Amino acid sequence: MAWARLDGLRVLGLDNPGETRDWLNERVLGGHKQATAGLLGADYQAEGEPLEHVGELLALVDSQEQRIGTVEVTKVEVVPFAAVDWAFAQAEGEGFRSVEHWREVHTKFFTDNGARVEEDTQVVCMHFRLLP
């Protein structure tokens, strides 16, 4: 199942539609959130999607799946869950207190969405910038 497209671009829908997505979008639009994480197996491979690539444009959507901005991918790397570093956690712009806190929050999110997360689970760490 391919990811949604809007105006020819892949869609970037942060979290699930609702209050958290709205808050995350505010973080992006305010310049605080400049990265996001996904699971290689559960998100990309399971859905037949290639990784984003540097220079790719993504349509940032709100909870009604309406485009509210465009982001440009600036860096993509795949690392084991246990190797996600503090710099990436900070780039996510969500107020994590430590990389351990990042891992705790993301374990819960991924698990709540049906994925199993282990120390060696491959995480796609994507950095982006909001275009004017």
Side-chain angles (χ1 to χ4, degrees), residues 6-7 11-14 21-30 58-71 130-132:
L6 189 59
D7 300 327
V11 165
L12 176 59
L14 299 168
R21 179 179 287 180
D22 297 341
W23 179 76
L24 292 171
N25 282 340
E26 288 174 17
R27 303 294 296 163
V28 172
L29 296 174
L58 305 172
L60 181 67
V61 298
D62 64 14
S63 291
Q64 290 73 45
E65 305 298 328
Q66 298 298 307
R67 186 175 181 172
I68 59 169
T70 303
V71 300
L130 179 66
L131 297 181

Side-chain angles (χ1 to χ4, degrees), residues 1-5 10 40 43-51:
M1 174 179 168
W3 290 357
R5 304 295 196 268
R10 280 199 275 186
L40 181 62
D43 295 329
Y44 292 83
Q45 293 172 342
E47 298 182 23
E49 281 290 326
L51 295 179

